[in-house]
Amino acid sequence: MPQRIYLDHAATTSMRPEAAAAMAAGLSIWANPSSPHAEGRKAKQALEDARRDVAAALNWTGEVIFTAGASESAALAVQQAKGGKRFVSAVEHDAILKSAPDAVIVPVQADGSVAEDDLRAALAGEDRPIVAIQSVNSETGNQQHIPALAEIVHGCGGMLIVDASQSAGKMPLPDGADAVIVSGHKLGGPIGVGVLLLRDFALLEPMGGQERGYRRGTENVPAALALAAALKACGTPYCDPDVLAPIRDTLAPACKELGGTRLADHVASPTPFVESLAMPGISGSAQLMRFDMLGFAISQGSACSSGSLRGSHVLQAMALDPAIAENVIRVSFGWNTTRDEVEHFCAAWIAMAREGRDKPI
């Protein structure tokens, strides 16, 4: 087995070589792109080239605002959006929830989906609501049916913000979104850069500064170039089905046989990048330590909240049995994950689960 196997790509993934090369080249374009001199104009041109490449790679026909990452994009979208009351789904990432602490929480079903009837009921009588619903959940891998939900939001004259941090570069952007949050380091770009895609600048209140007055701070040209290069390299399948076949063929039946819980079997629309499993008799934190000692980098859920003592708000919102939720761990796969790595993890999970069954830990 390799010395270490990294299976926490939903938290962050390694940079693609194309992105690293673009960033290295961008370091020579160090001037402030807002400066009027020749050096600044050269940096500005590189930034605009990256903006155009990002839009083309994502097939986005609206506006592109470069940010320092998904958290800034979320705050910018939720807090600066023109409209009425804020609404967020109960399974949103903490970056969204903390950007709108007074938002109305829209519940989800036991399968993790936002039901159309629940959204209609929440928005009844509202004028121009601002609604945030993610495309793919970082803990369960569940995909929301954005087009149908967008119709409901737009029927109230509202704006739909979609957090696509876990899906951008891996699947097409969802139809119907007015604003889309993209994170660079989730798809093979560098840490510290992201974009907010906007259908129209008129959706946001300007705040002055850079990015046509919608964001403050000098733009990070090398990181923007790297993000554009990473997105252009995402044209091939993000996770080859053959690479993940051992999950379907080996781990899934073994998990059922051993009394475990595979969340992909319970959510409305599972995606292949995230696999969450509950191992009977062994807490998630104990598994985390044991897998780490065996050479596997995995997690218990969102990296932004996994260090806290509270349980997962996502699993709570799905009303998952607390005894099961306590034993959930997450493995997530990236652009460079190999079948050999997946096979080794499957074998390790099965061995640990059998040991726990035969000799409770």
Side-chain angles (χ1 to χ4, degrees):
M1 184 180 80
Q3 187 174 4
R4 296 285 302 177
I5 292 178
Y6 184 84
L7 296 175
D8 195 19
H9 294 270
T12 193
T13 192
S14 59
M15 284 181 66
R16 292 174 179 268
E18 299 91 340
M23 191 165 191
L27 291 173
S28 65
I29 311 172
W30 46 263
N32 188 327
S34 296
S35 298
H37 45 60
E39 290 81 1
R41 294 197 302 274
K42 180 179 179 181
K44 179 69 170 179
Q45 184 59 57
L47 183 68
E48 295 309 313
D49 288 345
R51 196 186 313 277
R52 184 187 62 248
D53 290 345
V54 166
L58 292 171
N59 196 28
W60 181 256
T61 58
E63 308 295 347
V64 177
I65 298 175
F66 282 107
T67 68
S71 293
E72 185 191 357
S73 294
L76 183 60
V78 174
Q79 295 171 5
Q80 298 299 120
K82 297 177 182 178
K85 191 181 297 183
R86 271 54 175 166
F87 295 80
V88 301
S89 89
V91 292
E92 294 303 303
H93 191 277
D94 276 350
I96 291 287
L97 297 175
K98 290 178 179 178
S99 293
D102 299 323
V104 176
I105 303 298
V106 180
V108 297
Q109 304 296 298
D111 62 7
S113 65
V114 175
E116 294 176 36
D117 287 345
D118 287 339
L119 183 59
R120 283 194 191 92
L123 300 183
E126 294 294 331
D127 181 37
R128 300 173 65 211
I130 306 300
V131 182
I133 300 175
Q134 63 198 187
S135 56
V136 172
N137 186 267
S138 63
E139 294 187 39
T140 66
N142 186 54
Q143 181 182 5
Q144 300 289 352
H145 187 33
I146 296 298
L149 301 174
E151 285 189 19
I152 298 170
V153 175
H154 295 154
C156 303
M159 172 182 173
L160 179 61
I161 300 167
V162 174
D163 179 2
S165 297
Q166 294 296 334
S167 61
K170 305 172 188 179
M171 58 176 61
L173 296 180
D175 292 333
D178 299 299
V180 181
I181 295 163
V182 178
S183 173
H185 71 105
K186 307 288 190 182
L187 52 84
I191 292 172
V193 68
V195 294
L196 176 63
L197 306 176
L198 278 177
R199 180 170 52 80
D200 192 301
F201 277 130
L203 294 169
L204 292 190
E205 292 284 357
M207 60 185 350
Q210 283 68 38
E211 293 296 280
R212 299 194 185 182
Y214 289 88
R215 184 213 180 226
R216 296 190 180 100
T218 301
E219 295 96 339
N220 188 341
V221 175
L225 293 170
L227 172 56
L231 281 167
K232 287 200 289 186
C234 287
T236 55
Y238 188 77
C239 289
D240 187 329
D242 183 64
V243 168
L244 302 182
I247 298 288
R248 179 195 65 226
D249 300 337
T250 303
L251 186 57
C255 179
K256 185 174 181 180
E257 173 197 345
L258 292 165
T261 300
R262 183 181 178 223
L263 292 191
D265 295 331
H266 298 274
V267 300
S269 183
T271 48
F273 332 121
V274 176
E275 191 74 37
S276 288
L277 305 151
M279 186 182 294
I282 308 179
S283 70
S285 56
Q287 291 177 62
L288 200 66
M289 290 185 288
R290 295 195 69 195
F291 276 115
D292 193 41
M293 292 174 65
L294 290 172
F296 295 93
I298 62 169
S299 74
Q300 283 184 266
S302 172
C304 300
S305 59
S306 59
S308 67
L309 296 177
R310 62 182 173 85
S312 164
H313 73 278
V314 171
L315 302 184
Q316 290 173 0
M318 293 170 59
L320 187 67
D321 183 340
I324 295 176
E326 183 183 358
N327 294 351
V328 170
I329 56 98
R330 179 190 74 181
V331 290
S332 47
F333 312 102
W335 62 274
N336 55 355
T337 299
T338 67
R339 179 167 179 145
D340 183 60
E341 291 174 332
V342 176
E343 287 176 340
H344 276 107
F345 171 76
C346 292
W349 193 96
I350 293 169
M352 192 181 299
R354 283 178 175 158
E355 181 184 355
R357 179 194 59 181
D358 299 338
K359 183 181 177 182
I361 300 173

